[in-house]
Amino acid sequence: VQLATVQLGEAKAQIDAGKLVPIVVFSTVRNKFLPDVPTATEEGYDIPVSQYRAMVAPKGTPEEVKDRLKTAFENTFKTEAYQKSNEQNLLTPREIAGEEVTAEWTELAGKCKELTEKYGISLQQN
């Protein structure tokens, strides 16, 4: 394999061993675990590749339940265990509210649609 896109947690050991050479990261800012590796944007490629995890609740969940969940998440984000888990798994946390998640994901979906149409890329399985 000459080129691949991989998750950092899956490749870091091989990078550290000198078996893989990171070329770019697809985050909007340089990754703190690979600070000398430029972003794709810095290299002239406006490629929106992101992997997010989010907590969701069913539509219509009562506000008091959503508030309790939000408080619980905020408290968890402050814990040493949460922070240590992120470090151990090479995760860069992005703790944002639901409205921000919706806005970002909508923007990313639009950008991906634009690029797939522009370059004739099919995401359909053959």
Side-chain angles (χ1 to χ4, degrees):
V1 174
Q2 298 296 317
L3 182 69
T5 59
V6 295
Q7 296 298 316
L8 181 57
E10 299 165 346
K12 187 71 163 83
Q14 291 84 6
I15 292 169
D16 291 346
K19 294 180 180 182
L20 295 177
V21 177
I23 299 169
V24 298
V25 296
F26 291 106
S27 53
T28 56
V29 297
R30 288 190 183 208
N31 188 294
K32 74 177 186 175
F33 301 106
L34 297 172
D36 297 328
V37 178
T39 67
T41 303
E42 288 176 310
E43 293 298 310
Y45 301 99
D46 185 21
I47 303 171
V49 178
S50 299
Q51 181 184 37
Y52 294 107
R53 291 169 178 85
M55 300 302 290
V56 299
K59 186 175 185 174
T61 297
E63 285 302 315
E64 62 272 11
V65 173
K66 291 192 288 187
D67 290 342
R68 285 181 60 204
L69 288 169
K70 182 179 176 189
T71 299
F73 293 133
E74 289 170 349
N75 290 336
T76 299
F77 298 155
K78 296 174 189 172
T79 67
E80 185 178 330
Y82 171 79
Q83 294 168 14
K84 186 175 181 180
S85 177
N86 284 329
E87 288 289 322
Q88 288 174 338
N89 293 293
L90 305 176
L91 299 173
T92 304
R94 180 149 169 73
E95 296 121 1
I96 59 176
E99 299 78 24
E100 292 172 276
V101 171
T102 300
E104 282 189 16
W105 287 10
T106 299
E107 182 181 337
L108 281 170
K111 183 68 173 178
C112 287
K113 183 175 189 232
E114 173 191 323
L115 289 172
T116 56
E117 289 174 355
K118 179 178 179 179
Y119 294 106
I121 298 169
S122 172
L123 301 177
Q124 298 296 316
Q125 199 172 22
N126 291 337

